[in-house]
Amino acid sequence: MSAQSLETPAKIDWDAIRRDFPILDQEVHGKPLAYLDNAASSQMPQQVIDRIVEYQTTFHSNIHRGVHALSQKATDAFEETRSLVRQFLNAREDAECIFTRGATEGINAVMHGYGRKFLKAGDEVVITHMEHHSNIVPWQMLRDEKGIVLKVVPMTDDGRLDLEAFQEAITDKTKFVSCIHVSNALGTINPIKEIAAMAHAVGAPILMDGCQAAPHLTLDVQDLDADFYVASAHKMCASTGVGIFYGKREMLEKMDPFLGGGDMILSVSFDETVYNVIPHKFEAGTPPIMPVIALGAAIKYLTAIGRDNIARREDELLAYAMEKLDTIDAFKLYGPRDTKTSVISFGIGDVHPHDIGTILDTAGVAVRAGHHCTQPLMKRLGIPATARASIAFYNNTDDIDALVGAINDVTEIFGA
Amino acid sequence: MTDLRNLYQEVILEHNKKPRNFGPLEEFTHEAHGYNPLCGDDYHIYMVVEDDVVKKVTFDGTGCAISKAAASMMTTKIKGKSVEEAEQYIAEFRAMMADELDDDGQEHLGHLKVFAGVAQLPNRIKCAVLPWHTLNAAIHGNDGTSTEGEADEWDG
């Protein structure tokens, strides 16, 4: 037994944890809200809301350049979050942890700052069939500008990456690999450490899109040997407006900054600008201070519960849901059944996912219906869209029962 | 369930299951493509117009029950009607989705009024109007229409 599990409480009061989330205590269309759209955006506990209120009511100010007390306090809180992110990712140093406006901006920062500087015509960038649009479009922009070759690793019928095909795709021409850690559409946990080893064997750096991994898995960017790792704060109980962008120091130092402006410089004259050191080189302009401070509170909250406990809770709720859903004849699961996070991507007979979504909404059950910004993945599965229920640790079996009940309404109405 | 029965009325479910005038036309005088990039509803409308009369109209494609039933019932409604009357239906259907349909329009729309329940669900209105947008594009010789971006001449 590890030291950490000895320290965690033997039994966690998940009902009390649910009560930390005030938004969950409401009715939608006259039914108790069952919020199962956590993969799109998670909810915020009172502890994080309180921290935002504290910041806005007692020490809101701009950071880094102020000489007054409020500015110092805001700067300390901002930089404390950087340190919390470093611990959350197990990065070597705080300076490797950069705040962007979102994970998408992190990927774009790598495309502009590394891709445009170091990649040239004929160089190959390897991505996968499972990527979110945010990890496809930037590389297509680079392809159109620089003439790089974009190679796409195929996906199996059950929504996994084919590692043999991955190995075949990576050659001496491969100069960059960008891969999603956990599929947002299917929940598949990819063997990202093995993929990183394949990339590094040919000297190619790897970017890992961790938006869905960060809320669920314990992360260690050193163990994974990630050159870059991005995540999204609003999917981990904090607010929209800030993303985590990790890069190895040596990578960040040789890259160009993506955005120019204030705070990212050491000196500016009309002849020359000297860029600031990392992380500031990548944080031009006033950053999203409030969301960053909220992220700090969210990381403290998640860490206090224990990320192993969170993963276990979500896995248990997933198993409970799948046991019930599998008894529905018309229920069809997309993606794998194991080695996955608590995402259930599904269809009901030939009922269109938007009709499923509308019927579930009427029952107070919030899910996502659509292509989940993964149109190539949907095309690979031969479907236009799926319905997606995504479970967080603050959900409970009542939420799952509401989902199952509403799906039975779908089958009844459509005769599916 | 009562609200849902109001939305998913039997006639809508029936047209979804057995869409009328479904499939492409090999020869046509008018055609347009309608697409909702947010949800993936994707239809083509094909028409044969002679002497300002809609002699034939079919649709092809994929989408939700609301959009498919709307397309199916639209084709049965306008087949054999003048282009002018088809445009009147387009205007009335849009007015119904905006909750602005007058009594004359109500009467003229007839059984298309089963879609009135959709107007209460803002995130599903685009499903019901997409076939009508596409019909409008076909009549006016536009290649296609989208519910998003500049192609949506009726946005907002």
Side-chain angles (χ1 to χ4, degrees):
Chain A
M1 192 177 272
S2 71
Q4 193 189 350
S5 58
L6 281 172
E7 288 163 14
T8 52
K11 186 148 175 58
I12 292 173
D13 185 350
W14 292 109
D15 290 335
I17 284 172
R18 184 183 176 88
R19 288 194 295 273
D20 286 339
F21 293 79
I23 200 169
L24 300 177
D25 183 24
Q26 66 171 303
E27 292 193 342
V28 170
H29 303 306
K31 306 280 172 49
L33 169 64
Y35 185 81
L36 294 170
D37 194 19
N38 297 287
S41 200
S42 56
Q43 298 299 350
M44 192 181 277
Q46 191 63 49
Q47 289 84 339
V48 175
I49 296 169
D50 288 346
R51 182 63 169 156
I52 292 171
V53 172
E54 183 190 10
Y55 165 70
Q56 294 295 160
T57 52
T58 66
F59 65 100
H60 165 75
S61 55
N62 211 333
I63 56 168
H64 289 151
R65 292 173 303 281
V67 293
H68 57 82
L70 265 52
S71 175
Q72 189 56 51
K73 195 170 177 188
T75 303
D76 290 348
F78 187 91
E79 291 300 327
E80 183 199 16
T81 301
R82 200 186 303 281
S83 194
L84 288 162
V85 169
R86 195 251 308 149
Q87 293 166 43
F88 191 83
L89 299 175
N90 195 35
R92 271 164 298 261
E93 48 179 322
D94 290 3
E96 295 178 319
C97 303
I98 291 153
F99 297 116
T100 51
R101 281 177 301 157
T104 296
E105 186 180 302
I107 297 172
N108 278 274
V110 173
M111 186 280 275
H112 283 272
Y114 185 90
R116 295 179 76 199
K117 185 169 184 181
F118 295 110
L119 301 190
K120 56 187 190 304
D123 287 349
E124 293 181 356
V125 171
V126 175
I127 61 172
T128 81
H129 218 118
M130 205 184 278
E131 301 310 317
H132 189 280
H133 294 164
S134 61
N135 201 21
I136 299 173
V137 180
W139 305 112
Q140 288 175 329
M141 293 162 78
L142 187 66
R143 178 193 64 193
D144 295 345
E145 180 187 331
K146 292 277 182 182
I148 60 146
V149 177
L150 197 53
K151 281 174 94 171
V152 182
V153 175
M155 188 182 79
T156 64
D157 290 342
D158 70 340
R160 297 181 188 281
L161 291 179
D162 184 336
L163 276 189
E164 278 183 32
F166 219 124
Q167 188 63 70
E168 280 172 29
I170 293 182
T171 68
D172 289 345
K173 286 184 180 168
T174 306
K175 299 301 176 197
F176 201 87
V177 175
S178 200
C179 183
I180 196 161
H181 188 175
V182 172
S183 163
N184 67 303
L186 305 175
T188 316
I189 300 174
N190 288 319
I192 201 78
K193 189 177 172 180
E194 286 79 357
I195 293 167
M198 288 180 197
H200 291 149
V202 296
I206 182 167
L207 182 154
M208 304 176 185
D209 169 3
C211 285
Q212 299 297 332
H216 190 87
L217 305 178
T218 301
L219 297 176
D220 184 337
V221 291
Q222 294 185 69
D223 180 58
L224 296 176
D225 205 9
D227 296 284
F228 301 103
Y229 200 95
V230 299
S232 169
H234 73 92
K235 297 187 200 294
M236 38 196 287
C237 299
S239 98
T240 55
V242 64
I244 294 170
F245 168 36
Y246 159 84
K248 285 179 183 169
R249 171 179 278 277
E250 61 268 30
M251 302 300 291
L252 296 173
E253 284 184 338
K254 68 181 177 186
M255 278 167 66
D256 283 338
F258 172 38
L259 300 168
D263 226 26
M264 53 79 73
I265 51 85
L266 286 178
S267 65
V268 175
S269 72
F270 286 112
D271 294 327
E272 188 189 30
T273 288
V274 180
Y275 298 141
N276 203 338
V277 296
I278 65 167
H280 309 295
K281 178 171 124 179
F282 291 96
E283 292 179 353
T286 298
I289 302 169
M290 183 274 278
V292 167
I293 290 171
L295 174 61
I299 290 176
K300 283 183 182 172
Y301 181 82
L302 296 172
T303 309
I305 296 172
R307 294 163 76 192
D308 288 350
N309 293 323
I310 287 173
R312 198 174 308 120
R313 166 75 171 171
E314 291 170 350
D315 288 346
E316 282 168 9
L317 288 170
L318 175 67
Y320 178 86
M322 288 309 300
E323 192 181 327
K324 297 210 161 192
L325 293 169
D326 278 335
T327 65
I328 300 171
D329 287 342
F331 174 82
K332 178 170 171 49
L333 178 76
Y334 294 105
R337 287 193 165 264
D338 51 34
T339 322
K340 64 177 290 187
T341 58
S342 46
V343 166
I344 303 168
S345 214
F346 66 98
I348 302 295
D350 59 1
V351 183
H352 193 281
H354 279 100
D355 297 314
I356 298 173
T358 293
I359 293 170
L360 266 51
D361 178 52
T362 313
V365 180
V367 300
R368 192 114 196 269
H371 52 60
H372 317 298
C373 292
T374 56
Q375 286 180 1
L377 185 154
M378 293 291 131
K379 198 169 180 190
R380 168 66 182 80
L381 294 175
I383 49 177
T386 72
R388 183 188 71 181
S390 49
I391 302 166
F393 57 92
Y394 45 74
N395 287 121
N396 59 23
T397 52
D398 289 348
D399 295 334
I400 307 297
D401 292 344
L403 170 70
V404 174
I407 287 175
N408 282 323
D409 290 347
V410 175
T411 60
E412 195 183 316
I413 288 170
F414 278 85
Chain B
M1 287 291 277
T2 321
D3 292 350
L4 286 173
R5 290 290 180 198
N6 190 33
L7 175 66
Y8 292 106
Q9 299 199 27
E10 285 304 327
V11 62
I12 290 179
L13 294 170
E14 204 269 334
H15 273 265
N16 174 53
K17 211 165 200 170
K18 293 178 193 157
R20 319 294 197 271
N21 303 309
F22 189 67
L25 284 180
E26 287 196 5
E27 290 180 22
F28 49 83
T29 57
H30 294 67
E31 184 264 347
H33 178 214
Y35 180 53
N36 181 342
L38 296 184
C39 70
D41 286 351
D42 191 336
Y43 294 103
H44 278 86
I45 304 275
Y46 304 88
M47 302 168 79
V48 175
V49 177
E50 286 172 9
D51 302 329
D52 272 337
V53 171
V54 181
K55 296 281 189 190
K56 285 184 190 171
V57 54
T58 71
F59 78 105
D60 196 26
T62 58
C64 64
I66 303 294
S67 61
K68 187 175 273 184
S72 174
M73 292 174 72
M74 176 184 82
T75 59
T76 60
K77 192 64 153 181
I78 65 161
K79 194 173 174 181
K81 303 285 195 315
S82 69
V83 170
E84 190 184 357
E85 191 168 359
E87 293 199 83
Q88 189 183 339
Y89 281 122
I90 293 170
E92 286 164 353
F93 197 90
R94 288 196 61 227
M96 178 170 68
M97 288 298 114
D99 253 345
E100 293 167 355
L101 189 62
D102 60 22
D103 290 347
D104 288 349
Q106 294 265 5
E107 191 162 324
H108 190 240
L109 268 186
H111 70 295
L112 291 178
K113 282 186 294 187
V114 296
F115 289 96
V118 180
Q120 310 310 316
L121 290 169
N123 59 7
R124 300 305 299 274
I125 290 173
K126 284 179 177 177
C127 308
V129 297
L130 178 64
W132 293 91
H133 278 201
T134 313
L135 176 68
N136 187 64
I139 289 172
H140 292 279
N142 304 328
D143 292 339
T145 184
S146 169
T147 58
E148 307 303 314
E150 289 178 359
D152 184 9
E153 64 220 71
W154 284 330
D155 194 25

